Amino acid sequence: MRNRKGQMAKSEIRTILLCYHFGSFRNFKHYYLFFIKEHLASYFPKAVSYTRFVELMPRVFFELMAFMRIQGFGKCTGISFVDSTIIPVCHNMRRNFNKVFDGLAKNGKGTMGWCHGFKLHLLCNEMGDVLTFCLTPANVDDRNPRVWQGFTKGLYGKVFADKGYIKQEFFENFFNQGIHLVHGLKSNMKNKLMPLWDKMMLRKRYIIECINELLKNKANLVHSRHRSVHNFLMNLCAALAAYCFFENKPEALPVRIEKSRQLELF
C-alpha cells in the first residue's frame, strides 16, 4: 500500500528528538536503538527502525520551528545580547573532501581559528532566552544586513555586542531605528566616555557565551557525523528547541527598559 499513513505520530518524533539533547548520549543512532527501542519501548510501542526514523525526521521541521517561534523563544525586554559561533561540520584536513555539504559549507575564522562549516548568529535577552537566530555559511560577516533584517523585527532598547560588530554605518543605521548598539573599543580607537551602566552590562555578555557553550557541549550541537543536510538542520532545530526547556539558563541583572523610540529625536 503506497503513501500509507505513518505509524509514529509527529508528537512522538518531536519528543524523541528533544530528549536526545538532554542526556549524555553523543551518538543519535546508539540513543535510538539502545535507549528508545529498549528502555522506552513501552512509551513508544510503534517505534520504527532507525533508518525509517531518519527519513521521518524532516516531517516535523515546521512544527519545531513554529514551537520555537510561538512558545519557546523569549521576548525583547530592551536589553539584548548578540553573538555568533562557528559550527564546524568536519575536520580541517577533510574540508576539501566533504561531499555532504559541498557548495554550502564555507571556510571561516572564529575565536578558535579557521574551520569549515556554518555560523550560528544568536540574539538573546538578559534572562537567557533566545530571541531569534540565523544560520549562514562560516564566511558571512556578523554585520551582514541580511542577517539583521530578521533580528531588528520587534527589537528595541540596547544591544550589547563584542568588537566584531564595530562599524560606523552599522551603528548609525540602528540608532535611527531606535536601537542603541553598545560594544567595546579596540586598542587603536579613540577613547570615548561610556556610562557606567553600559560598562557593567558589557561584562554580562557571558550570558550568550554560556548559551553557545550549552548548545555545543550539553545539547551536542556540533559533531562531524552528519550524512545529509536535512539531518544537520533537524539537529540544529532540536537543540535550540531543547534549550528552551533547560533549567540552568544564565541570567543577568533584573533590569527593564521602557519601549520607546526616543532615540530618533537626536
Side-chain angles (χ1 to χ4, degrees), residues 90-98 107 114-116:
C90 65
H91 195 273
N92 285 335
M93 299 295 292
R94 297 180 55 249
R95 57 186 175 184
N96 295 328
F97 306 98
N98 187 280
N107 297 327
W114 289 89
C115 71
H116 183 73

Side-chain angles (χ1 to χ4, degrees), residues 43-266:
Y43 295 95
F44 303 97
K46 296 183 179 180
V48 296
S49 64
Y50 171 74
T51 305
R52 180 57 180 167
F53 185 83
V54 172
E55 296 175 355
L56 295 177
M57 285 195 303
R59 295 187 178 184
V60 299
F61 173 78
F62 293 103
E63 284 82 354
L64 280 177
M65 293 294 294
F67 165 77
M68 288 189 292
R69 176 59 60 183
I70 299 175
Q71 188 67 27
F73 286 170
K75 297 181 179 180
C76 182
T77 59
I79 304 174
S80 305
F81 301 89
V82 64
D83 197 10
S84 62
T85 182
I86 296 292
I87 305 178
V89 295
C90 65
H91 195 273
N92 285 335
M93 299 295 292
R94 297 180 55 249
R95 57 186 175 184
N96 295 328
F97 306 98
N98 187 280
K99 297 181 180 180
V100 178
F101 300 96
D102 186 20
L104 298 176
K106 301 295 182 181
N107 297 327
K109 187 177 182 181
T111 56
M112 302 302 293
W114 289 89
C115 71
H116 183 73
F118 299 90
K119 183 181 289 187
L120 179 64
H121 306 263
L122 283 178
L123 188 71
C124 71
N125 56 20
E126 81 280 5
M127 295 180 292
D129 297 328
V130 177
L131 301 180
T132 184
F133 73 97
C134 181
L135 183 68
T136 61
N139 59 351
V140 174
D141 189 19
D142 295 339
R143 300 159 295 185
N144 191 296
R146 298 183 62 182
V147 175
W148 285 91
Q149 283 181 358
F151 280 7
T152 54
K153 294 180 180 178
L155 188 65
Y156 65 94
K158 295 191 176 185
V159 179
F160 297 90
D162 58 9
K163 299 177 183 179
Y165 293 85
I166 296 177
K167 189 176 181 181
Q168 184 67 23
E169 298 178 0
F170 192 64
F171 175 85
E172 293 177 354
N173 186 23
F174 273 6
F175 201 81
N176 294 332
Q177 301 179 39
I179 302 172
H180 185 195
L181 182 65
V182 183
H183 50 69
L185 299 177
K186 294 183 179 180
S187 58
N188 58 350
M189 295 177 62
K190 294 182 179 180
N191 191 16
K192 294 184 179 181
L193 294 178
M194 182 182 297
L196 179 60
W197 188 84
D198 289 349
K199 291 185 177 180
M200 293 176 58
M201 294 307 296
L202 270 178
R203 297 181 179 180
K204 300 298 180 179
R205 285 197 64 257
Y206 70 86
I207 295 176
I208 197 164
E209 300 289 348
C210 292
I211 294 177
N212 293 331
E213 190 72 14
L214 288 173
L215 291 175
K216 288 186 175 181
N217 293 336
K218 184 176 180 179
N220 197 23
L221 177 62
V222 178
H223 64 81
S224 60
R225 298 181 299 273
H226 299 293
R227 295 297 176 264
S228 68
V229 180
H230 299 90
N231 291 348
F232 169 77
L233 294 177
M234 290 305 303
N235 182 72
L236 172 67
C237 295
L240 290 172
Y243 171 79
C244 301
F245 293 99
F246 283 2
E247 298 179 355
N248 57 340
K249 294 181 180 179
E251 296 183 3
L253 298 175
V255 184
R256 296 291 185 275
I257 292 182
E258 182 181 357
K259 182 176 181 180
S260 64
R261 304 181 67 88
Q262 188 176 1
L263 291 174
E264 295 183 3
L265 300 178
F266 298 94

